[in-house]
Amino acid sequence: MATSSYTSNNSQLSSQLKHEEWMTNLPKNLHDEPITKIAIPGTHDSFAYYLTRQAGPDLDTNLRRICFFIYPIIRNWSLTQDKTFTEQLYMGIRYFDLRVCRTTDTNLYSKSPFTFTHGLLGNLVRECLEEINEFLNKHTKEIILLDFNHFYDFNDQCGHDHLIHLVHEIFEKKLCTTARKITECTLNYLWNNKQQVILLYEQHPEQCTTYMDRIGHFFQICQSPWPNTPNIDELLLFLNETVSKSRPITC
């Protein structure tokens, strides 16, 4: 019995390591392929595993008025994940889909000026990015892509420059800031430069003036086709048609 248990535990550990360091363990023939040519597992509304009872700025105005009364319905629609960022990372997720709004709660603002949102407000952006950074500290050859693609309630006092600055503050030298095109980002390139974070930002660079001159920030290059269907056959058909279409060389 002891041997069987030991074997089972070893098998589970091996499976876990296979997922948590899958990029580290990729075959050498892929080390010089652009990251865009490697299939990267990701999640939709990656942060929406935890949501508060407070309506987010992206919720329909009419629903915001009655959010208190229909909260369970809104929450059921808004939740898209059941794993934290750390759990997703250990499962092998490396692409994160992020929607952010400015924090209006004065008590929370001192901790983080931004929070995630998907109908309802989620966790503070700073705390979640720090959680991701902890994983990267332990897995130095794993690469992640942060796709910030929806922004709400931003203003001059708390806007895009501030959010990008926060990303820099947390990840520091782990952030890719040297590649002129994302196609230059191969595993070997990133490993040699000790870079682990690729920032995708769905905003025109002119609205991010402070960081315009920084190489390695990839503005408006990530296509996110949405099939908008619960039907698996329709989803597969949509994906096959989408993948077959040519994409810009920078992507």
Side-chain angles (χ1 to χ4, degrees):
M1 291 295 291
T3 302
S4 176
S5 175
Y6 178 79
T7 303
S8 176
N9 288 340
N10 268 359
S11 177
Q12 291 175 3
L13 179 61
S14 176
S15 176
Q16 182 184 6
L17 288 173
K18 180 180 178 181
H19 291 98
E20 73 179 75
E21 294 193 331
W22 69 266
M23 299 182 98
T24 306
N25 298 323
L26 283 173
K28 288 186 177 181
N29 64 302
L30 294 178
H31 291 184
D32 288 311
E33 288 289 341
I35 199 80
T36 52
K37 291 190 176 182
I38 298 176
I40 307 291
T43 47
H44 176 60
D45 293 320
S46 308
F47 54 88
Y49 53 85
Y50 167 79
L51 295 168
T52 68
R53 300 182 71 92
Q54 186 175 348
D58 53 329
L59 187 65
D60 178 85
T61 304
N62 294 322
L63 292 178
R64 291 175 71 178
R65 295 194 185 103
I66 58 174
C67 180
F68 177 81
F69 302 101
I70 62 170
Y71 162 75
I73 297 174
I74 296 174
R75 183 178 184 275
N76 186 57
W77 170 82
S78 296
L79 282 176
T80 58
Q81 308 298 332
D82 61 0
K83 305 294 182 186
T84 67
F85 277 114
T86 298
E87 290 171 325
Q88 291 180 50
L89 285 161
Y90 275 95
M91 290 173 65
I93 300 300
R94 296 293 179 267
Y95 165 90
F96 296 98
D97 167 33
L98 308 171
R99 304 181 181 207
V100 177
C101 69
R102 175 174 55 89
T103 304
T104 56
D105 188 321
T106 53
N107 293 323
L108 293 177
Y109 191 91
S110 60
K111 294 182 179 179
S112 174
F114 301 100
T115 185
F116 291 116
T117 183
H118 187 227
L120 301 169
L121 295 182
N123 282 322
L124 297 176
V125 173
R126 174 182 288 277
E127 293 180 353
C128 291
L129 295 185
E130 288 175 343
E131 181 182 340
I132 293 172
N133 193 46
E134 286 184 19
F135 174 88
L136 296 178
N137 285 337
K138 299 174 183 176
H139 304 83
T140 57
K141 296 184 77 173
E142 295 302 297
I143 312 300
I144 66 162
L145 293 89
L146 299 179
D147 183 10
F148 290 91
N149 54 65
H150 286 71
F151 312 93
Y152 304 94
D153 284 355
F154 279 28
N155 58 26
D156 291 340
Q157 288 71 43
C158 187
H160 296 290
D161 285 343
H162 304 83
L163 177 56
I164 295 177
H165 176 77
L166 177 63
V167 174
H168 274 265
E169 178 187 340
I170 292 172
F171 294 109
E172 297 181 323
K173 294 182 179 180
K174 291 189 187 73
L175 192 65
C176 176
T177 57
T178 56
R180 294 182 180 276
K181 293 183 179 180
I182 196 168
T183 48
E184 295 177 22
C185 295
T186 65
L187 291 177
N188 270 335
Y189 177 90
L190 295 166
W191 290 341
N192 291 336
N193 287 283
K194 301 186 184 304
Q195 297 171 347
Q196 295 178 264
V197 181
I198 294 175
L199 175 62
L200 306 174
Y201 209 82
E202 191 58 29
Q203 197 70 19
H204 195 279
E206 289 180 0
Q207 294 179 275
C208 312
T209 52
T210 302
Y211 292 89
M212 267 285 291
D213 61 345
R214 284 186 183 269
I215 297 170
H217 291 153
F218 305 110
F219 295 97
Q220 294 186 321
I221 69 164
C222 187
Q223 299 176 8
S224 301
W226 183 39
N228 191 21
T229 176
N231 184 282
I232 294 177
D233 291 334
E234 291 179 7
L235 172 63
L236 292 174
L237 179 62
F238 176 86
L239 290 175
N240 286 332
E241 291 176 350
T242 303
V243 169
S244 65
K245 294 178 181 178
S246 60
R247 293 174 291 173
I249 192 169
T250 54
C251 296

